Amino acid sequence: MNEFLHQLLAGLATGGIYASVALALVMIYQATHHINFAQGEMAMFSTFIAWTLIQAGFPYWAAFATTVVLSFVLAAAIEFAVIRPMHDAPVLSVVVVFIGLLVIFHSLAGFLFGYTIKPFPSPFPADAWYGGSLMSAHEVGAIVVALGMVALLFMFLRYTPLGLAMRAAAQNAASSRLVGINVGRMLMLGWGLAGAIGAVAGMMVAPVVFLDPHMMTGVLLYAFAGALIGGIDNPIGAVLGGFIVGVLENLIGTYVVGTELKLSVALALIIGVLIVKPSGLLGKTIVTRV
């Protein structure tokens, strides 16, 4: 029973990281109605920025805050310079651009920082009072960080004029322009928020899997599965899906398929959701008359 509880709680901690990346995926999907396949690599690159700042002598939280701001600016700049000119391009062209961004960030990280595995510090002390035998302090902290980001994002989107304008621009760009909302600026803000959220997720996962250019490949796949399960157009659903995937990955990987086939769990979940309920648990079903 103790082993089961440990795997369950560890799955929740891992799910918190998946939930963070899934949240970033949903933010960009709401803005562009496309999946950003480069989201994991952008988060990885942001984590390397944080590592560089820490190596330069920055305190952890100063490096953390600086990285979040720089990631916001970088993602917003990508939307302005790369994605916005593709607004009227065919879907396949946009997908190719996302894949190109993935390759660019991956190769650039390897070129600048190397492919050797690097340790990354955790902001949560190993002997902290909230850590224990079933969950480490970092696992508890990762869950709290994920839930905190969800709460802040929910309040921002629900109760602030800027957040309401972002939601309006994502739902109906034409009507938003008619009431004076700068849709381009709102979409750029959505990309910036996704970049910042991804940076936080990268800095939470790096102490667990260590830092290298490949560290987010599997994480992105699990996060994508979580976003689909919860609803690719629903931030809260995507977070819920991320936690579900984390728990299922741990339990099925431990008791059913083994650790070598854990990645197949995410693929099976993606296929199952697309077949049974493509809109996800909390997503909206959109009917289009043709």
Side-chain angles (χ1 to χ4, degrees):
M1 180 56 71
N2 282 341
E3 176 63 22
F4 176 80
L5 287 175
H6 174 70
Q7 294 298 333
L8 178 64
L9 295 174
L12 287 174
T14 308
I17 296 170
Y18 299 159
S20 301
V21 181
L23 187 60
L25 288 173
V26 168
M27 291 296 297
I28 290 183
Y29 181 83
Q30 287 187 326
T32 64
H33 298 290
H34 296 290
I35 300 297
N36 181 13
F37 297 106
Q39 187 65 58
E41 304 307 300
M42 291 170 63
M44 172 271 297
F45 193 83
S46 296
T47 309
F48 267 111
I49 294 175
W51 177 82
T52 302
L53 294 174
I54 292 171
Q55 295 299 307
F58 278 61
Y60 180 91
W61 290 111
F64 182 95
T66 304
T67 300
V68 169
V69 173
L70 291 176
S71 300
F72 179 96
V73 173
L74 177 62
I78 289 173
E79 192 281 331
F80 180 78
V82 179
I83 303 302
R84 191 173 300 184
M86 303 291 295
H87 177 69
D88 296 320
V91 174
L92 184 58
S93 299
V94 179
V95 171
V96 170
V97 168
F98 283 136
I99 295 175
L101 287 172
L102 183 154
V103 175
I104 289 171
F105 276 106
H106 186 90
S107 302
L108 191 59
F111 175 75
L112 294 176
F113 307 108
Y115 289 94
T116 57
I117 296 175
K118 300 173 177 61
F120 191 86
S122 170
F124 311 107
D127 57 350
W129 62 269
Y130 44 83
S133 58
L134 293 178
M135 292 188 73
S136 68
H138 184 80
E139 290 173 334
V140 175
I143 294 176
V144 173
V145 168
L147 294 177
M149 284 197 301
V150 173
L152 289 174
L153 186 62
F154 175 80
M155 289 187 291
F156 171 73
L157 293 176
R158 186 69 179 269
Y159 298 112
T160 66
L162 188 58
L164 293 173
M166 281 185 60
R167 291 170 59 194
Q171 293 295 324
N172 194 321
S175 298
S176 299
R177 289 189 180 94
L178 291 176
V179 297
I181 296 175
N182 189 324
V183 173
R185 190 174 299 171
M186 294 302 104
L187 298 182
M188 186 167 62
L189 178 60
W191 265 77
L193 288 175
I197 293 169
V200 174
M203 287 184 278
M204 290 297 104
V205 74
V208 179
V209 302
F210 296 101
L211 180 59
D212 78 294
H214 308 287
M215 75 172 194
M216 294 297 290
T217 303
V219 174
L220 180 65
L221 184 58
Y222 287 121
F224 182 43
L228 286 178
I229 288 175
I232 193 65
D233 59 350
N234 190 307
I236 296 177
V239 171
L240 175 63
F243 280 108
I244 291 174
V245 169
V247 171
L248 289 179
E249 175 215 353
N250 253 33
L251 295 182
I252 295 176
T254 302
Y255 298 109
V256 181
V257 300
T259 56
E260 294 82 3
L261 296 176
K262 280 170 53 171
L263 199 59
S264 63
V265 174
L267 295 173
L269 288 172
I270 290 172
I271 294 172
V273 170
L274 291 177
I275 292 175
V276 177
K277 198 174 189 302
S279 60
L281 295 176
L282 301 180
K284 292 182 293 186
T285 302
I286 300 175
V287 178
T288 303
R289 180 177 296 176
V290 295

